[in-house]
Amino acid sequence: MLIKKSDDILPSEITDKNAYLNRRQFLKEAGLYAAVASAGGLLLPVSSEAAVTHNENGIYKDIATGPYTVDEKLTSYKDVTSYNNFYEFGTQKGAPRFRAAEFKTRPWKITVEGECEKPGMYDLEDFLKTDWMEERIYRFRCVEAWSMVVPWIGFELNKMLKQFQPNSKAKYVEFETLYDPKQMPGQERAILDWPYTEGLRIDEAMHPLTIMVVGLYGDILPNQNGAPLRLMVPWKYGFKSIKSIAKIRFTEKAPVSSWMKSAPSEYGFYSNVNPNVAHPRWSQARERRLGEDGFFSRKRKTLMFNGYGEQVASLYSGMDLSKHF
Amino acid sequence: MEQKTISLLKGVVFVVCLIPAILLFYNAFTDNLGANPVEEITLETGTWALRFLVLTLAITPLRKIFGWSILIRFRRMLGLYVFFYACLHFLAFIWFDHFFELDEMIKDVIKRPFITMGFISFVMLMPLAMTSTNKMMKRLGGKRWQQLHRLVYVIPFFVVIHYLWKLKADFLMVGIYTLVFSVLLLWRLWYRYSNR
């Protein structure tokens, strides 16, 4: 597969002019949102086109589409960027878009620890390599039974992890979101055990479907979607795809994620999309595709491994998936 | 207060209580309910039923504490609005979640405890709404009517559990509602005890 190389300028070196120009609009809307929210109603339309259109000439517009692409209707940019579970910026789906507007994503350091030859502090810029970048159009299935189809921009996680030279004891990879309550107001309350933590088995992490995301819709990744760097594991429930990653740790033992700590009987380590294993409180057999399954269509059937069984089912052969949920 | 003024006031309250539903319909038709309008409608109708339940239960304490006896004239309407928003909430559930497939819906009511709780609350609201007319009040007789309508003190318990069991994290709002309901119900106990 060919990856087009647009130029020698690193994406990170370009100022996102559109975001800059929209700054005042963001602030204005953040004010409006706060006013409406405090009025208690949340009934007035808070959406506005201005802040939810991407730059058609986004910094990743020339990145070629990679393999595993799904041939399904894309969820609109507006929906992808205004309906977010990102509890660090509020537990209401519409909140992160406003409350993360001022989140500082540069400079961004990633701490690498544990069972590897090259631990240390890395700069985000070390990984924004033009020849790594691909567009991947993936299904995204939330544990809350809604789904999207998103054109992510990113690179295979294995390319990044190999640079740290994990040793033979590295059986798992643990990820942590930035912990900074000053910037992430949601962390001021113990909604979850902060910092948000997730983990993958090393073979899951090295799988070519697993990517690190830095953009979407050919543009830079919006803060509410987990800027500047987030995971995307398309065959697992959305909460596994941790946002705003600040730490990567190679471990011998399976990491315990924030959701596992919060409700061990409800969220397991694997959390593979599985229509046959219900969440203890609701069914996972069907899902609502945002922008498509609305008032006049039934929820669609959820696919095993979110439709990526051909690629990943072998990772779990011989395992009882109702036990290892 | 004159009967005419009260009728006018009732009209105003009636319209005001309808505004959330009107806005919800309007925003649904103009596609202003965000990425998941179906979820938004389900959440909003449920939340408004909950808010009207708080208001209905607040009438008696407010009346007794501040001597605002006129409030009693609005209690029935507020109670019926609980039922109205609960009906919309239930409609959203059978329409959006199950697309009117009754057997699927029944399975859900039985299998999912949080839905069971919501369903029980809804069922308990039914006899209260049905016996809310003057005619029914007379037919039942004041005492029996009152006994039946004590159900309203039980409903908050089921409603709060329904809300709580549906959540993944962030229990702040359900905590606030629990506190408010507790105050409203405990005040009644205290009032009864101290006025014996």
Side-chain angles (χ1 to χ4, degrees):
Chain A
M1 185 218 49
L2 266 171
I3 300 168
K4 275 193 280 175
K5 212 173 177 178
S6 56
D7 47 44
D8 294 319
I9 307 166
L10 279 177
S12 55
E13 288 174 64
I14 304 166
T15 312
D16 187 14
K17 197 178 164 197
N18 200 43
Y20 176 72
L21 290 175
N22 273 338
R23 222 176 129 253
R24 282 182 188 282
Q25 186 63 30
F26 269 123
L27 288 172
K28 215 172 86 189
E29 291 197 342
L32 172 71
Y33 180 81
V36 173
S38 62
L42 280 173
L43 277 167
L44 297 167
V46 286
S47 48
S48 145
E49 294 299 326
V52 287
T53 46
H54 65 288
N55 186 353
E56 297 287 344
N57 296 311
I59 57 172
Y60 298 121
K61 73 175 162 60
D62 292 325
I63 301 295
T65 304
Y68 310 114
T69 277
V70 170
D71 191 19
E72 287 172 32
K73 193 180 160 230
L74 300 183
T75 305
S76 74
Y77 182 84
K78 183 181 168 182
D79 286 352
V80 172
T81 58
S82 61
Y83 190 79
N84 308 100
N85 272 331
F86 197 173
Y87 287 2
E88 282 82 346
F89 295 105
T91 51
Q92 302 236 0
K93 301 265 191 318
R97 187 177 132 218
F98 298 99
R99 295 178 81 186
E102 301 286 294
F103 182 52
K104 254 188 85 191
T105 58
R106 293 294 192 286
W108 191 270
K109 302 273 184 205
I110 299 144
T111 307
V112 177
E113 296 177 346
E115 306 294 343
C116 65
E117 302 305 318
K118 301 215 159 143
M121 276 266 249
Y122 289 81
D123 233 10
L124 173 67
E125 266 63 20
D126 298 343
F127 310 105
L128 298 177
K129 298 175 201 270
T130 324
D131 58 342
W132 280 12
M133 295 290 178
E134 293 175 58
E135 180 178 65
R136 292 275 178 101
I137 300 171
Y138 281 165
R139 292 182 207 94
F140 178 85
R141 169 62 157 81
C142 178
V143 74
E144 294 165 346
W146 52 265
S147 65
M148 302 178 172
V149 177
V150 186
W152 305 107
I153 302 285
F155 47 86
E156 289 184 7
L157 176 63
N158 59 59
K159 290 183 174 159
M160 183 188 195
L161 295 187
K162 277 173 196 159
Q163 296 213 329
F164 311 134
Q165 298 176 16
N167 63 34
S168 60
K169 280 188 189 163
K171 302 272 196 289
Y172 296 91
V173 192
E174 186 179 289
F175 304 88
E176 270 181 30
T177 297
L178 180 73
Y179 179 71
D180 186 357
K182 279 207 188 100
Q183 284 208 82
M184 297 176 143
Q187 291 175 337
E188 282 169 4
R189 281 200 293 135
I191 301 161
L192 290 169
D193 189 14
W194 310 117
Y196 193 87
T197 305
E198 261 307 338
L200 295 172
R201 221 168 55 191
I202 192 85
D203 56 343
E204 296 176 324
M206 293 297 186
H207 194 283
L209 266 177
T210 306
I211 56 169
M212 276 292 195
V213 167
V214 294
L216 59 84
Y217 266 98
D219 208 348
I220 195 161
L221 190 66
N223 290 349
Q224 64 268 34
N225 291 84
L229 185 73
R230 71 168 296 173
L231 192 65
M232 185 46 56
V233 198
W235 72 93
K236 292 175 181 284
Y237 292 120
F239 66 85
K240 292 293 288 183
S241 293
I242 181 170
K243 301 186 180 83
S244 306
I245 297 167
K247 198 179 270 184
I248 297 174
R249 186 184 297 123
F250 295 94
T251 64
E252 200 173 3
K253 282 188 184 147
V256 181
S257 74
S258 293
W259 281 109
M260 288 163 76
K261 278 186 206 165
S262 163
S265 61
E266 300 191 347
Y267 308 100
F269 174 78
Y270 288 98
S271 293
N272 293 319
V273 175
N274 187 344
N276 308 315
V277 176
H279 183 282
R281 290 181 285 149
W282 55 82
S283 165
Q284 295 291 19
R286 286 177 179 271
E287 68 200 44
R288 173 167 290 121
R289 180 68 53 82
L290 299 188
E292 290 183 63
D293 307 339
F295 298 112
F296 306 109
S297 47
R298 269 204 84 167
K299 289 193 273 187
R300 66 190 61 198
K301 286 198 163 122
T302 289
L303 306 170
M304 186 66 201
F305 296 115
N306 205 18
Y308 298 98
E310 203 185 307
Q311 289 84 27
V312 300
S314 60
L315 295 176
Y316 311 102
S317 55
M319 281 172 66
D320 179 356
L321 294 178
S322 60
K323 234 163 85 190
H324 299 278
F325 56 85
Chain B
M1 214 178 276
E2 268 183 80
Q3 188 55 44
K4 239 175 141 181
T5 325
I6 289 175
S7 298
L8 187 75
L9 262 178
K10 273 191 175 177
V12 171
V13 173
F14 178 82
V15 173
V16 168
C17 295
L18 208 53
I19 288 174
I22 293 170
L23 274 177
L24 208 51
F25 276 104
Y26 175 76
N27 286 331
F29 278 112
T30 53
D31 196 17
N32 262 319
L33 290 178
N36 197 346
V38 155
E39 178 194 53
E40 186 68 11
I41 289 174
T42 312
L43 288 179
E44 282 296 324
T45 49
T47 308
W48 279 105
L50 185 58
R51 287 173 184 151
F52 278 105
L53 185 59
V54 169
L55 289 178
T56 309
L57 284 168
I59 293 282
T60 300
L62 290 177
R63 226 175 80 208
K64 296 273 159 75
I65 295 168
F66 299 105
W68 299 337
S69 53
I70 192 178
L71 286 180
I72 191 71
R73 311 292 285 264
F74 301 95
R75 191 174 64 179
R76 169 162 57 194
M77 198 197 295
L78 293 176
L80 283 170
Y81 266 114
V82 179
F83 187 62
F84 172 70
Y85 283 101
C87 282
L88 292 181
H89 188 57
F90 185 70
L91 179 67
F93 164 66
I94 56 173
W95 180 352
F96 304 144
D97 278 10
H98 296 293
F99 225 65
F100 300 107
E101 282 190 23
L102 280 192
D103 50 330
E104 288 286 312
M105 190 205 89
I106 292 165
K107 258 192 250 165
D108 227 16
V109 168
I110 296 167
K111 256 174 89 177
R112 314 277 167 220
F114 91 90
I115 295 174
T116 316
M117 287 297 177
F119 188 73
I120 292 173
S121 315
F122 183 58
V123 168
M124 285 196 292
L125 282 173
M126 282 187 214
L128 303 192
M130 282 189 295
T131 58
S132 64
T133 60
N134 289 341
K135 217 171 151 187
M136 281 307 287
M137 213 185 282
K138 246 182 222 144
R139 221 160 115 190
L140 277 173
K143 200 163 179 199
R144 266 163 62 204
W145 186 89
Q146 214 170 20
Q147 275 172 346
L148 174 67
H149 280 250
R150 287 211 180 107
L151 257 184
V152 78
Y153 304 137
V154 186
I155 293 172
F157 174 78
F158 288 88
V159 168
V160 161
I161 302 277
H162 166 62
Y163 189 178
L164 177 72
W165 284 354
K166 189 231 148 234
L167 296 173
K168 282 163 62 202
D170 195 359
F171 305 108
L172 180 66
M173 280 316 287
V174 74
I176 291 173
Y177 277 108
T178 307
L179 190 71
V180 170
F181 280 128
S182 305
V183 168
L184 292 174
L185 295 179
L186 287 173
W187 177 87
R188 284 172 164 82
L189 270 183
W190 170 83
Y191 184 80
R192 261 192 124 180
Y193 182 76
S194 62
N195 285 283
R196 241 201 325 220

